[in-house]
Amino acid sequence: MVVSVLEEMRIRSLGVIDDAVVELSPGFTAVTGETGAGKTMVVTSLGLLLGGRADPALVRMGAKAAVVEGRLALDGRSPVAVRAEEAGAELDDGTLLVSRTLSAEGRSRAHLGGRSVPVGLLGELADDLVAVHGQTDQQGLLRPARQRQALDRYAGDAVAAPLAKYADAYRRLRAVAAGLGELTERARERAQEADLLRFGLDEVAATEPLPGEDTELYAEAERLGHAESLASAATAGHAALAGDPEDPEGVDAGTLVAGAHRALAAVRSHDPALAALTDRLGEVGILLADVAGELASYASGLDADPRRLAAVEERRASLAHLTRKYGEDIAGVLAWAETSAARLAELDGDDDRIGELAAERDALRGELGGLAQELTDARTEAAKRFADAVTAELASLAMPHARVTFAIRQNETADPGSGVEVGGRAVTFGPHGADDVELLLAPHPGAQPRPIAKGASGGELSRVMLAVEVVFAGSDPVPTYLFDEVDAGVGGKAAVEVGRRLAKLARTAQVVVVTHLPQVAAFADRHLVVEKTHDGAVTRSGVKAMEGEDRIRELSRMLAGQEDSQLARAHAEELLQAARAGS
């Protein structure tokens, strides 16, 4: 049962279309018209509604913006309806309005159920709404990578579950291999770095510098280097304060202050202010005596020992050697030594780390080999079912003797270390497993199966692709299928069978086909013709539903290029009768 139907699209200022309304059938709608009339704009418009890339070149010349509006009839329980309501869209009695506006400057806006939404949301809904297939999709399916994707999609969870585990293990292996490669490639550089660090640390350890030692030695060297002048100054200072024994007549500061203190002490009781000054003068006398004593001790303690001075300078030279290489001062040298010791421990642990990473790499390769085998088994089983189903479809598309098969291969590698083990062989592998998947076609008995890119004509390829889509419709259905001239290269009886198969698909889904074949269009439940006016535009009246006599005239035109040809009319009527009888 169809859970959603695209009922109508209105297209304004898009390409050759000025303003047109496309009314679609719940079943099979065929869209025809002269070459260049704008049929492809129907596909383009639907692509925009589904969140496709917006190209400002699509905006009709002279217009400010192109607008595409669509009306969808939805089952309220469908995933599309639920997701739309979650986004704030309103459904009017099961009808959802979708619009996309594209300005000539390149800005794009999207609306869903009257609510402005990100364009990306339309793309999310597209997966559950429409499958679009055109000639570019055919070309894509010629590539083995796309064929593998198609097979995986058909297989469902049987492939999806192990593939998810495989992808996770593959990412981890890439990260481990990158780390291991860096360690291995830089082994020489890291060994050289370790040797330099070890040499420097040995130098620091041999010298054994102490925190602040360079500052203390500088002060000691200054004192020892000027011992005589320091002693002479201290002696002179002591004599000035306490007197010189060799000069009894000399006057010293201590004697003078003591005399002043005695003079004041005799009268201090008469004035408190003078008493305070007397006390302060007494303190000065005590301070002078203390300084004089310390100067005497300092002078007697000075040792002008040249051997000690030489030892100090030698030690300072050793420390200076370190500061020239490892830091501005001894504090910097000690900080460098601490950091370098940690770095050296890291470098010395590289061998252990390399061993750990190599073991992890081997374990991951073993895990990947097992998962790759699971993928191969699941793909092989699904490939037979898929190929049999497509072959059965081809029989109903005028290819009764054709047979489709899948070739699932692995490429052996001469270097076991670069691959994974699958089926007892070392094989190459990638992000999606170890399998090369290719779709093969044998168009008739006795023909060798060949890749469809090489073994199928244009018409055969179109039918193979249609058969593939019909098989997908049974296993992974969507409500609407849009085919853009996938019947290219097909004619005669084969075209009739394509039309009949599309009509059969339309019993369970909405099918829209842009076609140039009257044999296909004759099977449609609704036949739309796109016509341009004399000025080259498609207006509101330019998309017409063909019924009765009008439909016969259009089929006649498609058959013979002449609407009024009696022979073409007879053939058109015969086509319609056969389609009604055969669908």
Side-chain angles (χ1 to χ4, degrees):
M1 178 182 178
V2 178
V3 296
S4 71
V5 173
L6 179 61
E7 296 181 323
E8 180 182 279
M9 281 196 305
R10 183 177 182 185
I11 310 165
R12 287 179 288 173
S13 302
L14 186 72
V16 298
I17 298 180
D18 179 29
D19 189 346
V21 176
V22 181
E23 296 181 355
L24 302 172
S25 164
F28 181 2
T29 300
V31 181
T32 65
E34 295 281 3
T35 301
K39 301 188 300 296
T40 301
M41 284 297 106
V42 175
V43 181
T44 303
S45 300
L46 187 55
L48 287 172
L49 279 183
L50 299 176
R53 188 178 68 86
D55 184 353
L58 294 172
V59 178
R60 184 170 172 78
M61 186 174 295
K64 293 182 178 179
V67 180
V68 182
E69 299 169 319
R71 187 175 74 235
L72 287 165
L74 294 179
D75 183 331
R77 296 165 298 179
S78 68
V80 174
V82 172
R83 182 69 182 91
E85 290 182 332
E86 288 176 352
E90 295 183 1
L91 273 69
D92 183 8
D93 194 21
T95 298
L96 177 65
L97 298 179
V98 186
S99 70
R100 181 84 179 274
T101 303
L102 171 62
S103 73
E105 291 78 24
R107 293 188 299 275
S108 176
R109 299 193 307 276
H111 288 81
L112 190 67
R115 177 67 61 90
S116 178
V117 296
V119 173
L121 178 59
L122 302 185
E124 290 180 27
L125 300 181
D127 292 337
D128 294 318
L129 281 174
V130 180
V132 180
H133 303 285
Q135 294 189 56
T136 55
D137 299 277
Q138 287 188 24
Q139 296 302 315
L141 276 171
L142 295 179
R143 298 195 299 270
R146 286 288 298 275
Q147 293 168 14
R148 176 191 51 72
Q149 291 173 3
L151 177 60
D152 289 355
R153 172 184 160 197
Y154 178 81
D157 287 342
V159 166
L163 184 58
K165 296 178 182 177
Y166 178 95
D168 179 64
Y170 183 81
R171 284 191 296 270
R172 286 186 283 130
L173 176 61
R174 291 286 299 271
V176 168
L180 183 59
E182 181 183 359
L183 286 177
T184 304
E185 290 174 6
R186 295 187 55 198
R188 178 177 299 177
E189 296 176 17
R190 298 167 79 90
Q192 291 173 346
E193 182 184 358
D195 285 345
L196 289 174
L197 291 176
R198 195 172 289 108
F199 177 81
L201 289 170
D202 288 345
E203 280 195 317
V204 174
T207 305
E208 296 183 348
L210 300 174
E213 184 182 4
D214 49 346
T215 303
E216 294 174 2
L217 289 175
Y218 172 80
E220 186 177 0
E222 284 289 296
R223 186 169 62 254
L224 291 172
H226 300 83
E228 292 184 2
S229 57
L230 291 173
S232 176
T235 300
H238 176 269
L241 296 177
D244 185 353
E246 297 181 0
D247 184 12
E249 300 298 328
V251 179
D252 58 86
T255 300
L256 293 175
V257 169
H261 183 266
R262 287 193 298 274
L264 295 177
V267 294
R268 60 174 296 166
S269 60
H270 302 300
D271 188 350
L274 187 62
L277 291 174
T278 303
D279 292 340
R280 289 173 63 189
L281 195 58
E283 293 172 2
V284 169
I286 295 171
L287 181 60
L288 286 175
D290 289 342
V291 172
E294 290 181 14
L295 285 174
S297 297
Y298 176 82
S300 62
L302 277 175
D303 184 10
D305 185 353
R307 287 178 296 180
R308 174 57 186 166
L309 178 59
V312 168
E313 292 296 349
E314 182 179 355
R315 179 63 176 172
R316 290 187 66 202
S318 298
L319 297 180
H321 176 73
L322 296 181
T323 57
R324 280 196 301 270
K325 297 172 68 175
Y326 308 115
E328 293 184 359
D329 51 24
I330 292 303
V333 170
L334 293 173
W336 175 88
E338 182 179 359
T339 303
S340 297
R343 174 61 176 165
L344 182 59
E346 178 185 339
L347 292 172
D348 286 342
D350 277 357
D351 289 341
D352 293 337
R353 181 61 178 155
I354 287 174
E356 292 171 0
L357 289 176
E360 186 176 0
R361 176 201 60 195
D362 294 341
L364 285 170
R365 278 186 177 158
E367 181 182 352
L368 282 172
L371 291 169
Q373 183 68 64
E374 285 187 49
L375 287 172
T376 298
D377 295 342
R379 284 169 176 157
T380 301
E381 189 278 331
K384 185 178 186 309
R385 291 188 290 109
F386 193 11
D388 289 347
V390 173
T391 297
E393 284 297 328
L394 289 176
S396 66
L397 292 172
M399 294 179 67
H401 305 297
R403 180 160 186 79
V404 167
T405 56
F406 275 97
I408 301 178
R409 312 182 186 91
Q410 297 83 37
N411 295 317
E412 292 192 45
T413 174
D415 178 13
S418 65
V420 296
E421 185 174 325
V422 177
R425 300 173 300 146
V427 300
T428 59
F429 66 103
H432 305 288
D435 302 321
D436 286 338
V437 177
E438 195 162 30
L439 188 61
L440 307 179
L441 173 68
H444 53 80
Q448 289 295 320
R450 300 182 65 195
I452 58 173
K454 300 176 182 178
S457 66
E460 289 171 339
L461 179 59
S462 294
R463 282 176 280 173
V464 170
M465 294 302 104
L466 178 58
V468 167
E469 291 307 326
V470 170
V471 171
F472 275 141
S475 63
D476 186 20
V478 293
T480 300
Y481 292 85
L482 175 60
F483 296 95
D484 181 17
E485 297 192 10
V486 292
D487 50 15
V490 178
K493 181 180 178 181
V496 173
E497 296 304 327
V498 169
R500 181 176 286 113
R501 194 61 191 85
L502 288 169
K504 183 179 178 182
L505 178 60
R507 295 173 189 170
T508 56
Q510 182 182 32
V511 176
V512 181
V513 179
V514 177
T515 182
H516 66 282
L517 292 180
Q519 297 95 325
V520 172
F523 282 88
D525 300 307
R526 186 176 183 80
H527 186 164
L528 301 179
V529 174
V530 181
E531 296 178 341
K532 290 195 294 188
T533 59
H534 295 298
D535 64 358
V538 177
T539 62
R540 182 179 290 270
S541 61
V543 180
K544 300 178 181 179
M546 297 288 104
E547 297 179 359
E549 180 64 24
D550 289 337
R551 189 173 188 186
I552 292 174
R553 285 174 59 84
E554 172 62 11
L555 291 175
S556 299
R557 180 198 65 77
M558 296 174 71
L559 283 164
Q562 300 175 7
E563 296 91 333
D564 299 324
S565 167
Q566 292 302 314
L567 185 60
R569 286 176 58 82
H571 192 181
E573 291 173 351
E574 183 181 0
L575 269 179
L576 284 172
Q577 290 174 1
R580 293 189 184 108
S583 61

